[in-house]
C-alpha cells in the first residue's frame, strides 16, 4: 500500500514544477484530433503480483517483477478548450508476463491553447494478463491520472502522464482490488482545430459621415500615421517612407544569431528586433509566423527543440515590444528545410540562417 501511494506522489511531484509554466499562446485546438504515443514504466500491485506468481504466470525459475518497461498509445478528440475524449491502450512486459490495458477516458485540460497545459484524466480500463499459457483479467476496472502537455511547435507537444489503475480481480484469492500504476513520456500530435470566425471589417472610405445633432456633415478620416525610428533595419530589407520594414512575404533576419546551444537574444539582434516590432505594429491587419532553423550538426530531435526555443525567444521579445501575442506563432523547423547542402561548411552556415518572419493572411 505504501509503495503504491509513494509512486503516485512521485508522479505528481514530477508534474508540479511544469504546471506553473502555463502561458497563453495563440492557437485554436478546439475540435482537433490528438494522436499520442509514449514510453515509460509500469508498477504492478504487490498482492496481484503474488497471486500471478503463485498461479504460475511467470517464466519457470524467475521471480515476477513488479516494475517493468511500458508503452502507451491513444487517439483523442478535443471538443473544446477544456474537455476531450480518448481511447487507447497501454502495456508492459516482465518475467514472461504480458499486460495489455485498453482504456477510454475523459480529459479536463486547464487551457488546451496554452504553451504548457496541465490536465487531469479518468475513465475505464481492462487489463488482460497472459503468461506461461495462462490468462486472467478483471471483472471491472477504472483509472485516474494527471499529466501535462508542452507545445514544441504549433501542432506537436511533449506529453508527460501518470495514471493509477483500480481493477477488481474476482478470481484472485484474498484481496480482490489491485492498484497498478503507469507513467509515460512521449509526444502528442494535433490536427488543425476549429478556427474562430473571421471578423468582418467594412471597406475603408476616404470620408466618413458623422452626426452633429440633426445635421450630417462630411468629415475626412485622418490618415493612419506610423513611424519606425528605433533600432536598425536588417541588411537588404526594404523600408517604406516612414522607415518601417515592408512586410509582404518572408523576411530573413540573417543577423539575428544565437550563441552556441543557446536561445538568448544577443545585443546585436536586439536593435534589429526593435525595428521589426515597430514595423509589425504598423501593419495591424497582418499575422506572422516566427520560424527558426539549424544545420544538421547534432541529432534531429535536439536541433528541432533548439530551433523552437529560439523562435519562441524572438516571439517573446516582440511581445515585450508591444506586438499583440495573438498575431504571432513561433515554430522550430530544426534541420528540416535546408537551403544548401549540409556537407560543406558554407552550406551549414547558410542553413543556420537565423530567423525567418513569414507574413500570413488573417484567419
Amino acid at each position: 500500500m505504501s509503495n503504491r501511494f509513494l509512486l503516485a506522489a512521485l508522479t505528481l511531484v514530477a508534474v508540479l514544477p511544469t504546471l506553473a509554466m502555463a502561458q497563453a499562446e495563440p492557437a485554436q485546438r478546439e475540435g482537433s484530433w490528438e494522436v499520442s504515443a509514449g514510453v515509460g514504466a509500469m508498477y504492478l500491485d504487490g498482492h496481484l503480483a503474488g497471486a500471478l506468481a503463485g498461479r504460475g504466470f511467470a517464466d519457470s525459475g524467475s521471480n515476477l517483477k513488479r516494475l517493468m518497461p511500458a508503452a502507451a498509445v491513444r487517439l483523442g478528440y478535443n471538443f473544446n478548450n477544456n474537455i476531450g475524449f480518448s481511447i487507447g491502450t497501454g502495456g508492459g512486459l516482465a518475467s514472461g508476463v504480458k499486460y495489455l490495458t485498453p482504456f477510454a477516458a475523459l480529459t479536463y485540460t486547464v487551457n488546451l491553447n496554452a504553451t504548457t497545459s496541465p490536465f487531469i484524466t479518468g475513465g475505464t480500463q481492462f487489463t488482460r494478463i497472459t503468461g506461461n499459457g495462462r490468462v486472467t483479467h478483471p471483472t471491472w476496472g477504472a483509472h485516474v491520472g494527471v499529466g501535462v502537455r508542452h507545445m514544441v511547435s504549433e501542432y506537436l507537444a511533449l506529453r508527460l502522464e501518470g495514471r493509477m489503475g483500480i481493477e477488481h480481480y474476482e478470481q484472485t484469492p484474498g484481496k480482490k482490488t489491485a492498484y497498478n500504476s503507469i507513467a509515460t513520456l512521449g509526444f502528442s500530435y494535433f490536427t488543425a482545430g476549429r478556427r474562430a470566425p473571421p471578423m468582418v471589417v467594412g471597406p475603408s472610405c476616404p470620408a466618413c459621415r458623422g452626426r452633429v445633432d440633426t445635421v450630417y456633415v462630411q468629415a475626412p478620416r485622418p490618415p493612419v500615421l506610423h513611424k519606425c525610428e528605433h533600432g536598425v533595419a536588417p541588411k537588404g530589407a526594404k523600408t517604406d517612407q516612414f522607415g518601417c520594414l515592408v512586410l509582404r512575404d518572408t523576411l530573413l533576419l540573417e543577423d539575428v544569431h544565437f550563441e552556441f546551444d543557446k536561445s538568448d537574444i544577443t545585443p546585436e539582434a536586439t536593435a534589429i528586433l526593435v525595428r521589426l516590432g515597430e514595423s509589425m505594429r504598423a501593419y495591424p491587419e497582418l499575422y506572422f509566423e516566427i520560424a527558426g532553423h539549424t544545420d544538421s550538426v547534432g541529432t534531429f530531435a535536439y536541433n528541432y527543440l533548439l530551433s523552437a526555443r529560439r523562435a519562441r525567444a524572438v516571439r517573446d521579445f516582440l511581445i515585450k515590444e508591444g506586438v499583440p501575442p495573438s498575431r504571432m506563432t513561433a515554430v522550430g523547423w530544426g534541420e528540416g528545410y535546408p537551403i544548401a547542402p549540409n556537407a560543406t561548411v558554407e552550406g551549414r552556415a547558410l542553413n543556420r540562417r537565423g530567423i525567418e518572419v513569414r507574413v500570413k493572411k488573417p484567419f
Side-chain angles (χ1 to χ4, degrees):
M1 178 68 74
S2 60
N3 288 337
R4 182 173 67 249
F5 286 111
L6 177 61
L7 183 64
L10 290 175
T11 302
L12 183 59
V13 168
V15 171
L16 283 177
T18 314
L19 304 186
M21 298 171 58
Q23 175 185 350
E25 173 154 311
Q28 294 292 333
R29 300 189 184 97
E30 298 91 339
S32 64
W33 291 93
E34 179 182 358
V35 181
S36 306
V39 295
M42 180 177 175
Y43 191 73
L44 192 65
D45 180 272
H47 183 80
L48 178 60
L52 295 175
R55 294 170 59 186
F57 273 75
D59 289 337
S60 178
S62 65
N63 295 322
L64 197 147
K65 296 181 180 178
R66 297 176 61 188
L67 183 65
M68 68 198 77
V73 294
R74 80 167 63 221
L75 172 65
Y77 182 78
N78 298 301
F79 297 102
N80 53 43
N81 192 35
N82 304 113
I83 304 300
F85 175 79
S86 63
I87 58 174
T89 186
L93 173 64
S95 307
V97 183
K98 298 179 181 178
Y99 307 85
L100 185 65
T101 308
F103 60 86
L106 280 174
T107 300
Y108 176 83
T109 302
V110 174
N111 180 6
L112 189 63
N113 291 331
T115 301
T116 303
S117 54
F119 62 86
I120 58 176
T121 183
T124 63
Q125 70 175 45
F126 190 87
T127 301
R128 186 174 189 269
I129 305 174
T130 59
N132 213 11
R134 293 169 172 80
V135 180
T136 189
H137 54 75
T139 53
W140 58 265
H143 73 269
V144 293
V146 295
V148 64
R149 305 179 188 88
H150 182 77
M151 303 304 301
V152 295
S153 73
E154 186 173 0
Y155 298 111
L156 189 66
L158 285 170
R159 181 185 179 110
L160 174 65
E161 180 177 355
R163 299 196 312 272
M164 172 73 76
I166 307 150
E167 296 177 323
H168 183 81
Y169 289 83
E170 187 62 37
Q171 300 176 0
T172 302
K175 178 184 169 186
K176 304 296 183 182
T177 303
Y179 300 87
N180 303 320
S181 302
I182 183 172
T184 57
L185 176 64
F187 290 94
S188 281
Y189 177 80
F190 294 86
T191 63
R194 294 189 298 269
R195 292 291 185 184
M199 295 180 61
V200 178
V201 181
S204 60
C205 60
C208 299
R209 306 189 73 158
R211 180 166 182 159
V212 180
D213 195 14
T214 58
V215 179
Y216 289 98
V217 296
Q218 295 291 329
R221 173 173 289 178
V224 178
L225 297 177
H226 60 273
K227 274 193 172 184
C228 298
E229 303 173 315
H230 302 92
V232 298
K235 295 177 183 178
K238 294 182 180 179
T239 58
D240 61 17
Q241 58 183 330
F242 301 105
C244 297
L245 303 177
V246 177
L247 301 174
R248 291 178 180 170
D249 186 12
T250 298
L251 176 64
L252 176 59
L253 305 179
E254 295 183 77
D255 293 327
V256 178
H257 292 305
F258 298 87
E259 295 182 10
F260 177 75
D261 196 30
K262 293 185 178 180
S263 58
D264 301 323
I265 303 298
T266 63
E268 294 78 9
T270 297
I272 294 175
L273 295 180
V274 167
R275 178 62 61 92
L276 175 62
E278 286 185 327
S279 303
M280 286 181 168
R281 297 198 305 271
Y283 295 91
E285 73 280 5
L286 297 182
Y287 292 76
F288 303 93
E289 178 184 88
I290 313 298
H293 299 272
T294 68
D295 59 22
S296 62
V297 177
T299 65
F300 179 87
Y302 176 84
N303 289 332
Y304 182 87
L305 295 175
L306 177 62
S307 64
R309 291 203 314 269
R310 290 174 172 176
R312 279 201 301 273
V314 171
R315 178 179 177 271
D316 292 341
F317 183 94
L318 294 171
I319 291 174
K320 294 179 181 178
E321 289 297 309
V323 183
S326 60
R327 294 175 51 208
M328 295 182 294
T329 57
V331 60
W333 294 113
E335 60 190 75
Y337 290 92
I339 59 175
N342 275 302
T344 64
V345 175
E346 294 79 6
R348 291 193 294 272
L350 288 173
N351 292 331
R352 295 191 303 270
R353 53 190 181 275
I355 294 291
E356 289 180 335
V357 179
R358 298 168 182 165
V359 179
K360 302 172 70 175
K361 294 181 180 180
F363 301 133

